[in-house]
């Protein structure tokens, strides 16, 4: 089943603007829908297409890439003969699926793009892994697109709720709360989304079976696939990668959500585990958020890489990963989250789903954390920081601090302290909470289901 994805429009823009001068590499986690997206785009937007899946390509096909790089005309003549597909010039696309499994094909992109007769789309996971780029020159004629799990708006589209998705966007644009019945419906569907997650196979299973137990089986299969990838491709770091991966739920269950290396090993050092975190991020399994010591609009310029949080890229997988030692996720967990009655761990799931929406929207993940044991008034925790246009500064970028609230009763003390400390650097303050939209002074209180619109 093909779901409407925002990345499809990004591919349309690439096709129109590149005019064959750049290939497109679609990166993302395993089972996130890269191959389906590439195939659907190729079928719809070109007169002809050819898909070469390097997870199962024959040695005869691979030999063409090995032996005919110096003669592109012969390469295409033999490729079309082998596959039986005739490709019209400038109205055909060749898809290199799972290109990380055969690096010479990726390197060949340089000559193929220079030839100019076709468009090229590559898909890959673990695309930066050393063994997947070893011995090749990465082509500069390659654009890249990260495909994330479905965000909440895409989930609504998949459920046939396009009208509700438009109403949520209109409410956000006008800063006017939706009618209470629509708000309650959006809240309920957002909780469904949190439980199911955004992996296409899990969404498809939920839409077909309406059974969280069946969805849980699918998510466990995906997590098993990730563990197998760690064992197969983790090399010398496999044990450390596995440790980090297995402890992610426990780390996020901490009050401040910050990752503590000492919980893995009393003698653990950042340098020893750096490659493990990079591997999980490169596999698009996890997403790292860094503490910003001195927030400016260019948030990356003052990050403290020794202080970080590590989120799961998909919250549905996080919920299942939390109960990985059980044969299945207890049905009470699904019931209580769906009904808004989960008293423990809801904060971690809520913060993770916001991180997932911000990533899908193109934001890097940053936060602000300051502890002062001598003066509690200097202690503050801001869940996320983004740069955003600010009306009171003629639309110029300012820092928007974001607080995520899983409950309906809360304070904004940290936001107040942050605003007082950083003054004119601060723009609109944002609270994401399980309540209707409310705009007041310089604070925007948004329902959680609007996080994807930031």
């Amino acid at each position: 089943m093909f779901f409407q994805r925002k990345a499809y429009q990004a591919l349309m823009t690439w096709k129109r603007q590149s005019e064959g001068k750049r290939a497109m590499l679609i990166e993302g986690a395993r089972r996130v829908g890269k191959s389906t997206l590439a195939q659907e785009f190729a079928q719809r937007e070109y007169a002809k297409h050819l898909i070469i899946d390097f997870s199962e390509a024959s040695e005869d096909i691979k030999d063409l890439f090995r032996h005919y790089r110096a003669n592109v005309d012969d390469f295409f003549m033999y490729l079309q003969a082998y596959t039986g597909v005739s490709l019209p010039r400038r109205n055909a696309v060749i898809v290199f699926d799972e290109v990380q499994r055969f690096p010479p094909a990726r390197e060949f992109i340089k000559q193929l793009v220079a030839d100019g007769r076709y468009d090229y789309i590559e898909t890959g996971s673990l695309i930066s892994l050393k063994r997947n780029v070893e011995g090749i020159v990465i082509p500069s004629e390659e654009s890249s697109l990260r495909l994330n799990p479905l965000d909440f708006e895409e989930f609504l589209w998949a459920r046939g709720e396009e009208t509700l998705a438009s109403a949520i966007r209109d409410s956000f644009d006008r800063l006017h709360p939706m009618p209470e019945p629509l708000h309650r419906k959006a809240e309920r569907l957002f909780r469904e989304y949190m439980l199911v997650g955004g992996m296409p196979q899990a969404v498809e299973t939920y839409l077909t079976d309406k059974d969280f137990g069946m969805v849980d089986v699918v998510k466990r299969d995906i997590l098993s696939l990730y563990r197998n990838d760690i064992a197969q491709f983790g090399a010398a770091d496999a044990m450390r990668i596995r440790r980090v991966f297995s402890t992610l739920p426990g780390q996020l269950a901490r009050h401040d959500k910050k990752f503590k290396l000492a919980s893995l090993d009393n003698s653990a050092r950042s340098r020893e585990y750096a490659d493990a975190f990079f591997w999980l991020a490169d596999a698009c399994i996890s997403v790292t958020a860094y503490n910003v010591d001195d927030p400016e609009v260019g948030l990356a310029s003052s990050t403290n890489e020794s202080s970080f949080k590590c989120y799961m890229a998909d919250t549905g997988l996080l919920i299942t990963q939390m109960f990985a030692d059980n044969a299945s996720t207890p049905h009470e967990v699904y019931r209580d989250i769906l009904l808004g009655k989960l008293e423990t761990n809801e904060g971690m799931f809520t913060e993770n789903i916001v991180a997932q929406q911000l990533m899908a929207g193109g934001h890097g993940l940053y936060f602000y954390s300051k502890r002062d044991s001598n003066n509690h008034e200097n202690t503050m925790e801001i869940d996320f920081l983004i740069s955003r246009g600010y009306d009171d500064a003629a639309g110029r970028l300012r820092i928007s601090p974001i607080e995520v609230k899983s409950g309906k009763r809360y304070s904004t003390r940290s936001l107040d302290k942050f605003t007082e400390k950083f003054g004119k650097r601060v723009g609109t303050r944002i609270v994401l909470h399980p309540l209707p939209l409310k705009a007041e002074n310089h604070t925007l209180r948004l329902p959680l289901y609007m996080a994807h619109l930031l």
Side-chain angles (χ1 to χ4, degrees):
M1 183 183 296
F2 177 71
F3 298 123
Q4 183 181 352
R5 304 298 302 268
K6 295 174 183 178
Y8 194 99
Q9 187 56 49
L11 289 176
M12 289 292 292
T13 301
W14 158 77
K15 180 177 185 288
R16 182 179 66 254
Q17 294 181 349
S18 73
E19 295 182 329
K21 295 181 176 62
R22 297 186 67 80
M24 173 59 81
L25 171 65
I26 305 175
E27 304 178 68
R30 298 282 295 276
R31 301 285 180 85
V32 81
K34 303 180 299 297
S35 299
T36 302
L37 173 63
Q39 292 172 18
E40 192 73 16
F41 185 79
Q43 290 170 0
R44 291 185 183 184
E45 306 302 334
Y46 293 87
K48 286 281 188 176
H49 66 279
L50 173 62
I51 296 173
I52 303 173
D53 183 350
F54 287 106
S55 66
E56 56 184 34
S58 68
E59 286 302 312
D60 288 337
I61 292 292
K62 291 179 180 178
D63 280 343
L64 294 179
F65 289 87
R66 295 185 181 109
H67 304 313
Y68 288 92
R69 289 179 54 174
N71 190 331
V72 176
D73 288 333
D74 283 356
F75 170 81
F76 285 125
M77 179 179 66
Y78 290 126
L79 180 65
Q80 291 177 84
Y82 272 118
T83 61
V85 178
S86 179
L87 301 170
R89 288 175 177 259
R90 295 308 316 139
N91 199 11
V93 62
I94 300 177
V95 177
F96 292 170
D97 201 14
E98 300 286 355
V99 73
Q100 82 280 358
R101 293 179 177 269
F102 191 64
R106 188 178 179 195
E107 186 176 40
F108 194 19
I109 284 292
K110 182 178 181 66
Q111 290 98 309
L112 296 176
V113 168
D115 173 73
R117 70 187 81 181
Y118 309 122
D119 286 354
Y120 301 91
I121 298 174
E122 308 159 87
T123 76
S125 305
L126 293 165
I127 207 70
S128 300
L129 197 65
K130 183 178 180 181
R131 65 183 291 176
N132 292 335
V133 295
E134 196 167 14
I136 72 167
V137 177
I138 297 175
S140 58
E141 300 78 8
E142 182 184 83
S143 299
S144 65
L145 170 67
R146 172 169 171 151
L147 186 63
N148 295 292
L150 276 72
D151 69 11
F152 180 53
E153 189 167 42
E154 291 172 322
F155 178 78
L156 290 177
W157 294 343
R159 282 188 106 269
E161 295 285 355
E162 292 88 349
T163 303
L164 178 59
S166 296
I168 292 171
R169 186 171 284 273
D170 179 69
S171 172
F172 176 83
D173 290 341
R174 295 191 298 118
L175 296 182
H176 190 277
M178 292 198 301
E180 184 61 24
L182 283 183
H183 167 72
R184 289 198 303 269
K185 181 178 181 180
E187 271 206 316
R188 175 177 58 80
L189 291 175
F190 188 74
R191 288 184 174 278
E192 283 186 22
Y193 168 66
M194 188 186 300
L195 290 167
V196 174
M199 301 302 282
Q201 190 178 357
V203 175
E204 181 177 356
T205 299
Y206 182 63
L207 296 179
T208 302
D209 299 324
K210 300 295 184 185
D211 183 339
F212 287 118
M214 295 296 293
V215 174
D216 195 62
V217 171
V218 170
K219 291 190 291 179
R220 285 174 182 272
D221 286 345
I222 295 172
L223 290 170
S224 293
L225 180 66
Y226 292 169
R227 294 187 194 98
N228 291 339
D229 282 347
I230 292 170
Q232 183 177 357
F233 301 112
D237 290 311
M239 183 178 70
R240 293 190 181 99
I241 298 167
R242 188 166 57 249
R243 281 182 181 173
V244 173
F245 180 55
S246 64
T247 59
L248 283 179
Q251 300 285 349
L252 290 171
R254 298 171 54 85
H255 174 70
D256 62 3
K257 310 291 189 299
K258 284 190 279 190
F259 201 101
K260 302 297 183 186
L261 285 174
S263 65
L264 302 176
D265 181 344
N266 288 333
S267 61
R269 297 290 181 269
S270 298
R271 186 186 313 158
E272 297 171 343
Y273 277 86
D275 286 345
F277 287 104
F278 173 81
W279 194 99
L280 288 169
D282 188 52
C284 301
I285 294 171
S286 72
V287 184
T288 305
Y290 291 103
N291 195 2
V292 178
D293 289 330
D294 187 26
E296 296 278 2
V297 168
L299 290 164
S301 63
S302 59
T303 55
N304 176 2
E305 295 192 359
S306 66
S307 177
F308 61 93
K309 304 177 186 179
C310 201
Y311 298 100
M312 287 279 282
D314 182 76
T315 308
L317 293 181
L318 170 64
I319 291 172
T320 299
Q321 171 78 336
M322 188 169 184
F323 298 94
D325 292 336
N326 298 36
S328 62
T329 304
H331 77 274
E332 292 87 357
V333 173
Y334 285 99
R335 179 198 65 198
D336 290 348
I337 291 178
L338 193 62
L339 298 177
K341 294 181 178 180
L342 187 70
E343 295 181 359
T344 59
N345 296 319
E346 184 157 10
M348 66 180 278
F349 299 142
T350 305
E351 190 169 317
N352 199 95
I353 198 104
V354 169
Q356 183 178 337
Q357 304 312 289
L358 293 176
M359 275 295 297
H363 293 288
L365 297 186
Y366 304 96
F367 66 97
Y368 182 81
S369 177
K370 182 177 178 61
R371 294 281 178 181
D372 189 337
S373 56
N374 297 319
N375 185 352
H376 184 68
E377 286 303 310
N378 291 330
T379 295
M380 65 186 93
E381 298 281 344
I382 303 296
D383 296 321
F384 298 102
L385 302 173
I386 61 173
S387 296
R388 194 168 181 266
Y390 186 42
D391 289 344
D392 285 9
R396 290 190 291 272
L397 292 177
R398 293 290 184 267
I399 300 165
S400 278
I402 301 174
E403 286 267 49
V404 179
K405 306 295 184 182
S406 59
K408 295 182 178 181
R409 293 186 177 184
Y410 59 82
S411 71
T412 58
R413 284 192 296 272
S414 285
L415 280 180
D416 297 337
K417 293 176 187 178
F418 186 86
T419 304
E420 183 177 353
K421 182 176 179 65
F422 294 106
K424 292 183 178 179
R425 300 185 197 179
V426 181
T428 304
R429 304 165 3 142
I430 297 169
V431 179
L432 290 166
H433 62 182
L435 291 165
L437 183 151
K438 185 178 181 181
E440 53 184 14
N441 298 325
H442 303 288
T443 302
L444 185 56
R445 300 175 192 266
L446 298 173
L448 288 160
Y449 55 75
M450 288 187 179
H452 65 279
L453 296 172
L454 291 173

